[in-house]
Amino acid sequence: MARLVAFVALCLLFASLAAATSPFLVKGKCYCDTCRCGFETEATKYLAGSKVKIECRNRVTNEITYTIGGVTNSQGEYNILVDRDCGDDVCDVVLVESSDKRCGKPNGGRDRARVILTRNNGMISDVRYANNMGFLSDEPLSACTRILQQYQLTEDQY
């Protein structure tokens, strides 16, 4: 019986160590706001080859404690493997550079996405989904007036 209890305790110890060292996978998308309206529409273009980074800062000192970069794939999606638990640090995925020079200005309010990179929060999965982030196009597409009418928005309202 003592061997069984020791074996179970040892298994639990190894399981907790494996969970504590397994990486997080942060997933999200980058897009070009082709209508310059501040949100995704049917005219939104997802950007392949754009650069993003995850930046974690100490809550008290605001010093950067961790950073890692990533690049979007052909569908504008990024998958960044984070190899550590960032504890109480505040972590954001941040736009770095657009792959489309005609759509290069980060959209304020959609230029970063907060992610929780700690295991002490009740989440079971190691996958973290970040909100989509966008760049603004230099000029809206001609189809945007029609698209925004579907949302009952006009140029004067955005």
Side-chain angles (χ1 to χ4, degrees), residues 100 130 148:
D100 184 343
L148 294 178

Side-chain angles (χ1 to χ4, degrees), residues 35-63:
C35 288
R36 298 183 57 86
C37 59
F39 54 87
E40 294 166 86
T41 67
E42 65 187 55
T44 294
K45 177 177 130 183
Y46 293 94
L47 298 171
S50 292
K51 295 177 184 175
V52 298
K53 69 178 176 179
I54 296 175
E55 192 174 80
C56 297
R57 294 180 175 274
N58 181 286
R59 267 185 209 282
V60 177
T61 65
N62 205 35
E63 292 177 35

Side-chain angles (χ1 to χ4, degrees), residues 13 25 42 51 84-85 103 120 124:
L13 175 65
L25 178 62
E42 65 187 55
K51 295 177 184 175
R84 60 175 267 198
D85 186 309
C103 192
N120 299 326
I124 297 171

Side-chain angles (χ1 to χ4, degrees), residues 22 47 87-88 98 111 133:
S22 64
L47 298 171
D88 288 336
S98 173
D111 59 341
M133 300 180 297

Side-chain angles (χ1 to χ4, degrees), residues 53-68 82-92 115 117-118:
K53 69 178 176 179
I54 296 175
E55 192 174 80
C56 297
R57 294 180 175 274
N58 181 286
R59 267 185 209 282
V60 177
T61 65
N62 205 35
E63 292 177 35
I64 296 175
T65 58
Y66 182 81
T67 186
I68 186 170
V82 176
D83 61 357
R84 60 175 267 198
D85 186 309
C86 293
D88 288 336
D89 291 349
V90 177
C91 300
D92 292 310
V115 289
L117 297 175
T118 185

